[in-house]
mmCIF file of all heavy atoms in Angstrom:
data_model
loop_
_atom_site.group_PDB
_atom_site.id
_atom_site.type_symbol
_atom_site.label_atom_id
_atom_site.label_comp_id
_atom_site.label_asym_id
_atom_site.label_seq_id
_atom_site.Cartn_x
_atom_site.Cartn_y
_atom_site.Cartn_z
ATOM 1 N N LYS A 93 4.574 20.538 114.963
ATOM 2 C CA LYS A 93 3.230 21.164 114.746
ATOM 3 C C LYS A 93 2.501 20.442 113.694
ATOM 4 O O LYS A 93 1.309 20.125 113.803
ATOM 5 C CB LYS A 93 3.540 22.666 114.459
ATOM 6 C CG LYS A 93 2.156 23.333 114.269
ATOM 7 C CD LYS A 93 2.328 24.906 113.963
ATOM 8 C CE LYS A 93 1.071 25.516 113.773
ATOM 9 N NZ LYS A 93 1.311 27.007 113.534
ATOM 10 N N LEU A 94 3.361 20.142 112.576
ATOM 11 C CA LEU A 94 2.710 19.454 111.433
ATOM 12 C C LEU A 94 2.270 18.117 111.801
ATOM 13 O O LEU A 94 1.144 17.650 111.302
ATOM 14 C CB LEU A 94 3.720 19.491 110.238
ATOM 15 C CG LEU A 94 3.993 20.797 109.608
ATOM 16 C CD1 LEU A 94 5.215 20.729 108.685
ATOM 17 C CD2 LEU A 94 2.748 21.290 108.836
ATOM 18 N N GLN A 95 3.112 17.400 112.474
ATOM 19 C CA GLN A 95 2.730 16.068 112.898
ATOM 20 C C GLN A 95 1.417 16.106 113.882
ATOM 21 O O GLN A 95 0.568 15.147 113.708
ATOM 22 C CB GLN A 95 3.929 15.411 113.721
ATOM 23 C CG GLN A 95 3.740 13.843 114.149
ATOM 24 C CD GLN A 95 3.402 12.982 112.849
ATOM 25 O OE1 GLN A 95 4.050 13.220 111.833
ATOM 26 N NE2 GLN A 95 2.627 11.974 113.007
ATOM 27 N N ALA A 96 1.387 16.991 114.801
ATOM 28 C CA ALA A 96 0.241 17.218 115.605
ATOM 29 C C ALA A 96 -0.982 17.412 114.805
ATOM 30 O O ALA A 96 -2.153 17.001 115.126
ATOM 31 C CB ALA A 96 0.513 18.267 116.605
ATOM 32 N N ALA A 97 -0.894 18.253 113.767
ATOM 33 C CA ALA A 97 -2.043 18.452 112.959
ATOM 34 C C ALA A 97 -2.508 17.252 112.167
ATOM 35 O O ALA A 97 -3.680 17.135 111.957
ATOM 36 C CB ALA A 97 -1.637 19.537 111.858
ATOM 37 N N ILE A 98 -1.596 16.382 111.782
ATOM 38 C CA ILE A 98 -1.946 15.087 111.201
ATOM 39 C C ILE A 98 -2.725 14.228 112.205
ATOM 40 O O ILE A 98 -3.778 13.619 111.906
ATOM 41 C CB ILE A 98 -0.766 14.351 110.663
ATOM 42 C CG1 ILE A 98 -0.091 15.125 109.412
ATOM 43 C CG2 ILE A 98 -1.102 12.956 110.217
ATOM 44 C CD1 ILE A 98 1.101 14.606 108.845
ATOM 45 N N GLU A 99 -2.154 14.146 113.457
ATOM 46 C CA GLU A 99 -2.841 13.313 114.541
ATOM 47 C C GLU A 99 -4.219 13.836 114.757
ATOM 48 O O GLU A 99 -5.131 13.059 115.109
ATOM 49 C CB GLU A 99 -1.807 13.287 115.659
ATOM 50 C CG GLU A 99 -0.543 12.683 115.433
ATOM 51 C CD GLU A 99 -0.628 11.180 115.275
ATOM 52 O OE1 GLU A 99 -1.684 10.586 115.464
ATOM 53 O OE2 GLU A 99 0.376 10.621 114.648
ATOM 54 N N ALA A 100 -4.376 15.225 114.733
ATOM 55 C CA ALA A 100 -5.652 15.698 115.089
ATOM 56 C C ALA A 100 -6.697 15.666 113.989
ATOM 57 O O ALA A 100 -7.905 16.011 114.173
ATOM 58 C CB ALA A 100 -5.400 17.144 115.565
ATOM 59 N N GLY A 101 -6.251 15.292 112.857
ATOM 60 C CA GLY A 101 -7.093 15.194 111.612
ATOM 61 C C GLY A 101 -7.267 16.551 110.865
ATOM 62 O O GLY A 101 -8.139 16.573 110.089
ATOM 63 N N GLU A 102 -6.506 17.457 111.205
ATOM 64 C CA GLU A 102 -6.617 18.782 110.626
ATOM 65 C C GLU A 102 -6.124 18.652 109.143
ATOM 66 O O GLU A 102 -6.628 19.374 108.240
ATOM 67 C CB GLU A 102 -5.829 19.882 111.343
ATOM 68 C CG GLU A 102 -6.346 20.189 112.752
ATOM 69 C CD GLU A 102 -5.432 21.173 113.548
ATOM 70 O OE1 GLU A 102 -4.501 21.606 112.927
ATOM 71 O OE2 GLU A 102 -5.741 21.462 114.623
ATOM 72 N N ILE A 103 -5.093 17.938 108.907
ATOM 73 C CA ILE A 103 -4.603 17.662 107.624
ATOM 74 C C ILE A 103 -4.331 16.234 107.519
ATOM 75 O O ILE A 103 -4.090 15.490 108.461
ATOM 76 C CB ILE A 103 -3.291 18.454 107.239
ATOM 77 C CG1 ILE A 103 -2.283 18.155 108.341
ATOM 78 C CG2 ILE A 103 -3.522 19.890 107.207
ATOM 79 C CD1 ILE A 103 -0.906 18.710 108.040
ATOM 80 N N ASP A 104 -4.195 15.697 106.274
ATOM 81 C CA ASP A 104 -3.916 14.306 106.022
ATOM 82 C C ASP A 104 -2.443 14.081 105.790
ATOM 83 O O ASP A 104 -1.948 12.859 105.810
ATOM 84 C CB ASP A 104 -4.706 13.715 104.838
ATOM 85 C CG ASP A 104 -6.207 13.743 105.191
ATOM 86 O OD1 ASP A 104 -6.759 13.011 105.892
ATOM 87 O OD2 ASP A 104 -6.901 14.602 104.431
ATOM 88 N N GLY A 105 -1.726 15.123 105.510
ATOM 89 C CA GLY A 105 -0.298 15.109 105.157
ATOM 90 C C GLY A 105 0.091 16.429 104.750
ATOM 91 O O GLY A 105 -0.606 17.327 104.755
ATOM 92 N N TYR A 106 1.398 16.700 104.668
ATOM 93 C CA TYR A 106 1.973 17.928 104.262
ATOM 94 C C TYR A 106 3.014 17.796 103.169
ATOM 95 O O TYR A 106 3.731 16.841 103.131
ATOM 96 C CB TYR A 106 2.484 18.670 105.452
ATOM 97 C CG TYR A 106 3.684 18.089 106.136
ATOM 98 C CD1 TYR A 106 5.021 18.456 105.820
ATOM 99 C CD2 TYR A 106 3.550 17.242 107.327
ATOM 100 C CE1 TYR A 106 6.053 17.820 106.506
ATOM 101 C CE2 TYR A 106 4.640 16.695 107.944
ATOM 102 C CZ TYR A 106 5.792 17.023 107.604
ATOM 103 O OH TYR A 106 7.013 16.468 108.255
ATOM 104 N N LEU A 107 3.031 18.777 102.296
ATOM 105 C CA LEU A 107 3.966 18.879 101.229
ATOM 106 C C LEU A 107 5.027 19.910 101.476
ATOM 107 O O LEU A 107 4.733 21.025 101.888
ATOM 108 C CB LEU A 107 3.106 19.297 99.980
ATOM 109 C CG LEU A 107 3.654 18.947 98.538
ATOM 110 C CD1 LEU A 107 3.684 17.424 98.320
ATOM 111 C CD2 LEU A 107 2.761 19.525 97.553
ATOM 112 N N GLN A 108 6.273 19.545 100.999
ATOM 113 C CA GLN A 108 7.345 20.434 101.418
ATOM 114 C C GLN A 108 8.310 20.384 100.173
ATOM 115 O O GLN A 108 8.676 19.299 99.687
ATOM 116 C CB GLN A 108 7.992 20.158 102.612
ATOM 117 C CG GLN A 108 9.136 21.088 103.094
ATOM 118 C CD GLN A 108 9.724 20.689 104.449
ATOM 119 O OE1 GLN A 108 9.419 19.681 104.966
ATOM 120 N NE2 GLN A 108 10.534 21.598 104.993
ATOM 121 N N PHE A 109 8.747 21.683 99.750
ATOM 122 C CA PHE A 109 9.849 21.647 98.716
ATOM 123 C C PHE A 109 11.165 21.754 99.416
ATOM 124 O O PHE A 109 11.395 22.382 100.330
ATOM 125 C CB PHE A 109 9.604 23.057 97.933
ATOM 126 C CG PHE A 109 8.363 22.973 97.083
ATOM 127 C CD1 PHE A 109 7.235 23.529 97.589
ATOM 128 C CD2 PHE A 109 8.465 22.493 95.751
ATOM 129 C CE1 PHE A 109 6.164 23.551 96.776
ATOM 130 C CE2 PHE A 109 7.163 22.422 95.044
ATOM 131 C CZ PHE A 109 6.057 23.015 95.594
ATOM 132 N N ALA A 110 12.219 20.984 98.826
ATOM 133 C CA ALA A 110 13.551 21.010 99.300
ATOM 134 C C ALA A 110 14.081 22.383 98.806
ATOM 135 O O ALA A 110 13.650 23.103 97.960
ATOM 136 C CB ALA A 110 14.193 19.862 98.725
ATOM 137 N N GLU A 111 15.378 22.698 99.527
ATOM 138 C CA GLU A 111 16.074 23.833 99.053
ATOM 139 C C GLU A 111 16.525 23.759 97.666
ATOM 140 O O GLU A 111 16.934 22.747 97.123
ATOM 141 C CB GLU A 111 17.401 24.066 99.985
ATOM 142 C CG GLU A 111 16.886 24.226 101.446
ATOM 143 C CD GLU A 111 16.289 25.692 101.648
ATOM 144 O OE1 GLU A 111 16.555 26.475 100.938
ATOM 145 O OE2 GLU A 111 15.505 25.788 102.628
ATOM 146 N N GLY A 112 16.336 24.910 96.884
ATOM 147 C CA GLY A 112 16.690 25.038 95.488
ATOM 148 C C GLY A 112 18.165 24.952 95.327
ATOM 149 O O GLY A 112 19.033 25.367 96.195
ATOM 150 N N ASP A 113 18.595 24.684 94.034
ATOM 151 C CA ASP A 113 20.102 24.566 93.736
ATOM 152 C C ASP A 113 20.312 25.066 92.300
ATOM 153 O O ASP A 113 20.222 24.416 91.306
ATOM 154 C CB ASP A 113 20.488 23.104 93.853
ATOM 155 C CG ASP A 113 21.944 23.074 93.608
ATOM 156 O OD1 ASP A 113 22.713 24.008 93.719
ATOM 157 O OD2 ASP A 113 22.439 21.862 93.369
ATOM 158 N N GLY A 114 20.403 26.465 92.241
ATOM 159 C CA GLY A 114 20.933 27.067 90.983
ATOM 160 C C GLY A 114 19.892 26.909 89.838
ATOM 161 O O GLY A 114 20.266 26.441 88.809
ATOM 162 N N GLY A 115 18.647 27.029 90.079
ATOM 163 C CA GLY A 115 17.684 27.053 89.010
ATOM 164 C C GLY A 115 17.048 25.665 88.664
ATOM 165 O O GLY A 115 16.156 25.476 87.914
ATOM 166 N N VAL A 116 17.667 24.601 89.453
ATOM 167 C CA VAL A 116 17.167 23.344 89.300
ATOM 168 C C VAL A 116 15.859 23.115 90.072
ATOM 169 O O VAL A 116 15.869 23.516 91.234
ATOM 170 C CB VAL A 116 18.125 22.277 89.563
ATOM 171 C CG1 VAL A 116 17.614 20.789 89.529
ATOM 172 C CG2 VAL A 116 19.376 22.309 88.681
ATOM 173 N N PHE A 117 14.866 22.607 89.558
ATOM 174 C CA PHE A 117 13.539 22.431 90.353
ATOM 175 C C PHE A 117 13.851 21.507 91.481
ATOM 176 O O PHE A 117 14.220 20.400 91.358
ATOM 177 C CB PHE A 117 12.508 21.852 89.353
ATOM 178 C CG PHE A 117 11.110 21.907 89.997
ATOM 179 C CD1 PHE A 117 10.383 23.262 90.037
ATOM 180 C CD2 PHE A 117 10.424 20.833 90.573
ATOM 181 C CE1 PHE A 117 9.114 23.256 90.666
ATOM 182 C CE2 PHE A 117 9.221 20.988 91.127
ATOM 183 C CZ PHE A 117 8.552 22.185 91.162
ATOM 184 N N PRO A 118 13.473 21.953 92.713
ATOM 185 C CA PRO A 118 13.654 21.141 93.922
ATOM 186 C C PRO A 118 12.868 19.870 94.006
ATOM 187 O O PRO A 118 11.853 19.827 93.336
ATOM 188 C CB PRO A 118 13.444 22.126 95.020
ATOM 189 C CG PRO A 118 12.456 23.041 94.489
ATOM 190 C CD PRO A 118 12.751 23.203 92.968
ATOM 191 N N ALA A 119 13.355 18.993 94.792
ATOM 192 C CA ALA A 119 12.599 17.791 95.127
ATOM 193 C C ALA A 119 11.359 18.117 95.999
ATOM 194 O O ALA A 119 11.471 19.061 96.724
ATOM 195 C CB ALA A 119 13.450 16.710 95.886
ATOM 196 N N VAL A 120 10.319 17.299 95.912
ATOM 197 C CA VAL A 120 9.113 17.560 96.634
ATOM 198 C C VAL A 120 8.899 16.227 97.518
ATOM 199 O O VAL A 120 8.984 15.209 97.027
ATOM 200 C CB VAL A 120 7.891 17.824 95.652
ATOM 201 C CG1 VAL A 120 6.640 18.064 96.438
ATOM 202 C CG2 VAL A 120 8.243 18.820 94.707
ATOM 203 N N THR A 121 8.561 16.568 98.810
ATOM 204 C CA THR A 121 8.307 15.515 99.710
ATOM 205 C C THR A 121 6.816 15.582 100.318
ATOM 206 O O THR A 121 6.472 16.693 100.666
ATOM 207 C CB THR A 121 9.359 15.512 100.928
ATOM 208 O OG1 THR A 121 10.668 15.493 100.328
ATOM 209 C CG2 THR A 121 9.114 14.320 101.781
ATOM 210 N N TYR A 122 6.145 14.485 100.347
ATOM 211 C CA TYR A 122 4.826 14.456 100.945
ATOM 212 C C TYR A 122 4.948 13.476 102.207
ATOM 213 O O TYR A 122 5.257 12.366 101.959
ATOM 214 C CB TYR A 122 3.870 13.999 99.921
ATOM 215 C CG TYR A 122 2.415 13.888 100.504
ATOM 216 C CD1 TYR A 122 1.638 14.970 100.752
ATOM 217 C CD2 TYR A 122 1.865 12.630 100.928
ATOM 218 C CE1 TYR A 122 0.392 14.977 101.318
ATOM 219 C CE2 TYR A 122 0.702 12.528 101.526
ATOM 220 C CZ TYR A 122 -0.124 13.630 101.703
ATOM 221 O OH TYR A 122 -1.368 13.654 102.269
ATOM 222 N N THR A 123 4.557 13.957 103.298
ATOM 223 C CA THR A 123 4.639 13.190 104.516
ATOM 224 C C THR A 123 3.189 12.991 105.029
ATOM 225 O O THR A 123 2.430 13.886 105.188
ATOM 226 C CB THR A 123 5.445 13.938 105.631
ATOM 227 O OG1 THR A 123 6.764 14.288 105.090
ATOM 228 C CG2 THR A 123 5.567 13.143 106.875
ATOM 229 N N SER A 124 3.006 11.764 105.395
ATOM 230 C CA SER A 124 1.636 11.337 106.029
ATOM 231 C C SER A 124 1.754 10.042 106.620
ATOM 232 O O SER A 124 2.899 9.509 106.822
ATOM 233 C CB SER A 124 0.572 11.235 104.780
ATOM 234 O OG SER A 124 0.855 10.146 104.054
#
Side-chain angles (χ1 to χ4, degrees):
K93 183 179 179 181
L94 291 168
Q95 185 63 35
I98 293 176
E99 296 295 338
E102 296 175 4
I103 58 175
D104 296 289
Y106 62 90
L107 200 68
Q108 185 175 9
F109 294 93
E111 294 293 334
D113 184 17
V116 178
F117 192 75
V120 184
T121 305
Y122 178 79
T123 306
S124 68

